């Protein structure tokens, strides 16, 4: 069990630039989630994949956000035309089945300047 | 909107004392999980308690769940400075895709 891996750990970008984050879940986990956490708050759900299918998206996921999970393995989260309000920690989690515990990665901290 | 709310928002205690954090939620749940987060780091899973369970233990941690009151508590006994962190409860709803709905957390400071 190598755990959930997220890259990069930190990203500083200028407003208006595009950024992409990657999440590698635990290999046998078919369920993958993205969350966003702003300072002093709990994480908020962004989107859910079961294998390669994106089954749920939060209202928080504006048109500038897109997520993919090709072949049901790793996932990417892209933010286009970043805004200062996008500055947050982006967390990825995976789990093997309904009702099982979730395993979180260390997160990617995005700072938009 | 957030499903869960932790209470208190912040807690400051001395090493060796017990720390109790409470979590309330609004709608029926499938299970409830507690997580710890050190500043700027990822989430560490502590305990998962299912809706049909009332109490679980793990080392110095004790979690209770009262579904009639829609509330849970996390007790850390004999606290240590290393327990200093933010603690979050997160619920999964019945019939959903098991996404976690977090509260705003309790910030615990344990002083040597």
């Amino acid at each position: 069990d190598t755990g959930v891996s997220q890259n990069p750990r930190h990203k500083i970008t200028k407003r208006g630039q595009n950024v992409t984050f990657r999440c590698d879940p635990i290999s046998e986990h078919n369920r993958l989630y993205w969350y966003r956490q702003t300072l002093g708050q709990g994480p908020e759900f962004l989107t859910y994949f079961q294998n390669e299918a994106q089954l749920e998206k939060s209202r928080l996921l504006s048109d500038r956000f897109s997520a993919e999970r090709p072949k049901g393995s790793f996932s990417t989260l892209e933010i286009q035309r970043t805004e200062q309000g996008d500055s947050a920690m982006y967390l990825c989690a995976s789990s093997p089945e309904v009702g099982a515990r979730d395993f979180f990665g260390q997160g990617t901290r995005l700072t938009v300047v | 909107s957030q499903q869960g709310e932790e209470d208190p928002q912040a807690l400051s205690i001395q090493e060796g004392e017990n720390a109790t954090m409470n979590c309330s939620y609004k709608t029926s749940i499938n299970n409830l999980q507690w997580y710890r987060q050190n500043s700027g780091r990822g989430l560490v899973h502590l305990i998962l308690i299912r809706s049909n369970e009332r109490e679980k233990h793990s080392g110095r941690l004790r979690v209770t769940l009262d579904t009639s009151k829609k509330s849970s508590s996390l007790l850390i006994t004999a606290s240590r400075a290393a327990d200093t962190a933010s603690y979050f409860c997160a619920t999964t709803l019945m019939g959903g895709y098991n996404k976690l709905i977090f509260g705003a957390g309790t910030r615990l400071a344990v002083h040597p």
Side-chain angles (χ1 to χ4, degrees):
Chain A
D1 179 0
T2 57
V4 177
S5 176
Q6 290 189 247
N7 288 288
R9 292 290 308 279
H10 303 273
K11 179 71 175 178
I12 300 175
T13 190
K14 292 183 178 179
R15 191 173 50 189
Q17 297 294 305
N18 299 343
V19 295
T20 300
F21 311 140
R22 177 176 170 128
C23 171
D24 287 89
I26 295 172
S27 59
E28 62 269 24
H29 289 186
N30 60 2
R31 307 171 71 89
L32 185 147
Y33 305 82
W34 284 98
Y35 295 86
R36 183 174 72 184
Q37 184 180 25
T38 53
L39 202 61
Q41 298 298 314
E44 293 178 291
F45 169 77
L46 290 178
T47 191
Y48 163 65
F49 288 87
Q50 185 164 323
N51 299 310
E52 66 275 13
Q54 187 175 20
L55 298 183
E56 187 172 356
K57 293 168 59 174
S58 162
R59 293 190 306 272
L60 294 174
L61 217 63
S62 75
D63 291 344
R64 297 184 298 105
F65 287 69
S66 63
E68 295 183 338
R69 192 183 182 194
K71 303 178 182 178
S73 56
F74 70 91
S75 176
T76 58
L77 177 67
E78 180 183 16
I79 308 174
Q80 295 183 328
R81 305 181 303 283
T82 52
E83 301 172 356
Q84 286 191 318
D86 297 330
S87 294
M89 174 81 87
Y90 290 84
L91 294 159
C92 176
S94 69
S95 73
E97 58 188 14
V98 174
R101 59 157 287 197
D102 297 83
F103 294 76
F104 277 83
Q106 288 297 303
T108 294
R109 179 167 296 283
L110 173 67
T111 302
V112 181
V113 298
Chain B
S1 62
Q2 299 279 350
Q3 149 93 317
E5 292 184 6
E6 283 94 341
D7 171 56
Q9 291 185 340
L11 182 60
S12 181
I13 61 174
Q14 297 296 124
E15 263 191 330
E17 294 179 341
N18 295 341
T20 299
M21 288 159 267
N22 302 296
C23 168
S24 60
Y25 56 91
K26 298 175 184 174
T27 58
S28 295
I29 61 171
N30 185 33
N31 64 47
L32 185 146
Q33 303 182 51
W34 284 91
Y35 286 87
R36 183 185 75 218
Q37 186 178 40
N38 290 86
S39 180
R41 306 293 296 275
L43 293 164
V44 175
H45 183 266
L46 298 176
I47 287 183
L48 180 152
I49 186 165
R50 303 188 191 285
S51 59
N52 61 353
E53 297 175 315
R54 292 296 167 258
E55 187 170 314
K56 288 190 83 168
H57 296 256
S58 177
R60 296 183 295 112
L61 306 181
R62 171 178 171 251
V63 167
T64 62
L65 179 64
D66 186 335
T67 53
S68 67
K69 294 181 179 178
K70 292 186 171 60
S71 67
S72 174
S73 68
L74 169 66
L75 169 67
I76 303 174
T77 59
S79 63
R80 306 166 182 168
D83 294 329
T84 296
S86 290
Y87 291 82
F88 296 92
C89 71
T91 56
T92 60
L93 303 182
M94 302 287 283
Y97 288 122
N98 235 48
K99 66 186 179 191
L100 292 170
I101 305 175
F102 287 84
T106 293
R107 276 151 282 287
L108 173 67
V110 182
H111 303 284

